[in-house]
Amino acid sequence: QSVLMQPPSVSGAPGQRITISCAGYSSNLGALYDVHWYQQLPGAAPKLLIFGNTNRPSGVPDRFSGSRSGTSASLAITGLQAEDAADYYCQAHDSLLKGYVFGTGTRVTVL
Amino acid sequence: QVQLVQSGAELKKPGSSVKLSCKASGGTFKTYTFNWVRQAPGQGLEWMGGIIPLFGPPFYAQDFQDRVTITADDSTSAVYMELSSLTSDDTAVYYCATVDGYNREDPLRYWGQGTLVTVSS
């Protein structure tokens, strides 16, 4: 049961900048737990994209960036490319559930 | 860097159980926290629980704690997840994923390829 809310879909033209929001609650984002973001390409396992709110693992292009404020977080993709078409999920620890919670997921479409 | 290889697809009858495996290589088994995450067809990701082989015992999501069992075998560097009382709602791809270290707030850095479990009569 997801408790982090994301928009179902976001679209943009190649080269544009898009953002994906992630809204949480006092027991997860409001409790200042780190937010992590994952990219899931069609038919593939999720891949860590952003960790600790703003950090990129080695190999992730700097077109991807993360930010957070209070009980929400955002993922931005600048210079959108066709290969960025995928599902994106935010994730955080939840103190009430005593485990991970994922966002509802956002499908990015490149027009 | 650890690699995770999961067992193959399963077809199960309603009411039965399934036991999946996740074998780790390329890293030190006891330095990781292993988690299980599932994804129903066309749906989002759902965390089920995990285990820290160095410490045990396993920890489970509330929605699964009555019918999931997660174990670790140091001798084979493998983690197992058994789910009982299966229904069609359990049809999903099940992923094994690891955290570097023991902080359960850290990200799931490495993922297995996933195992499709189909529950059908």
Side-chain angles (χ1 to χ4, degrees):
Chain A
Q1 184 177 352
S2 300
V3 292
L4 302 179
M5 299 303 297
Q6 301 179 231
S9 63
V10 173
S11 62
Q16 282 191 327
R17 179 181 187 270
I18 63 169
T19 61
I20 300 169
S21 60
C22 173
Y25 295 86
S26 58
S27 58
N28 41 66
L29 300 195
L32 302 181
Y33 291 115
D34 283 345
V35 174
H36 316 300
W37 290 89
Y38 301 86
Q39 178 193 59
Q40 187 175 32
L41 296 171
K47 167 192 164 186
L48 180 63
L49 192 67
I50 297 287
F51 67 96
N53 305 310
T54 61
N55 303 291
R56 288 185 306 276
S58 173
V60 172
D62 60 7
R63 302 184 291 104
F64 296 93
S65 62
S67 63
R68 68 170 297 163
S69 177
T71 56
S72 65
S74 291
L75 173 71
I77 309 176
T78 57
L80 193 64
Q81 299 184 6
E83 67 209 48
D84 300 333
D87 293 329
Y88 293 83
Y89 295 90
C90 58
Q91 181 217 20
H93 181 80
D94 188 281
S95 59
L96 286 180
L97 300 179
K98 296 183 172 57
Y100 289 121
V101 290
F102 285 96
T104 47
T106 299
R107 176 153 296 178
V108 168
T109 301
V110 182
L111 301 172
Chain B
Q1 177 171 333
V2 66
Q3 289 86 43
L4 304 174
V5 178
Q6 299 183 227
S7 48
E10 301 267 7
L11 175 61
K12 292 293 182 180
K13 299 266 191 231
S16 67
S17 298
V18 68
K19 187 172 185 178
L20 308 182
S21 68
C22 170
K23 185 169 174 60
S25 64
T28 303
F29 185 66
K30 289 189 175 181
T31 62
Y32 296 102
T33 300
F34 291 84
N35 292 265
W36 289 89
V37 175
R38 78 175 186 179
Q39 185 173 36
Q43 302 300 309
L45 301 171
E46 184 176 26
W47 178 73
M48 300 178 68
I51 191 167
I52 304 174
L54 182 64
F55 301 131
F59 41 91
Y60 303 127
Q62 294 173 2
D63 287 349
F64 296 98
Q65 60 187 8
D66 292 336
R67 57 188 190 102
V68 69
T69 303
I70 297 174
T71 56
D73 184 343
D74 293 353
S75 66
T76 57
S77 297
V79 175
Y80 301 88
M81 189 282 294
E82 184 170 21
L83 189 63
S84 62
S85 304
L86 293 171
T87 72
S88 57
D89 289 342
D90 295 314
T91 294
V93 175
Y94 290 77
Y95 293 102
C96 171
T98 64
V99 172
D100 258 334
Y102 314 122
N103 188 338
R104 288 171 51 185
E105 302 166 22
D106 280 351
L108 297 169
R109 192 172 291 272
Y110 307 108
W111 293 70
Q113 83 276 20
T115 297
L116 175 62
V117 175
T118 304
V119 183
S120 173
S121 55

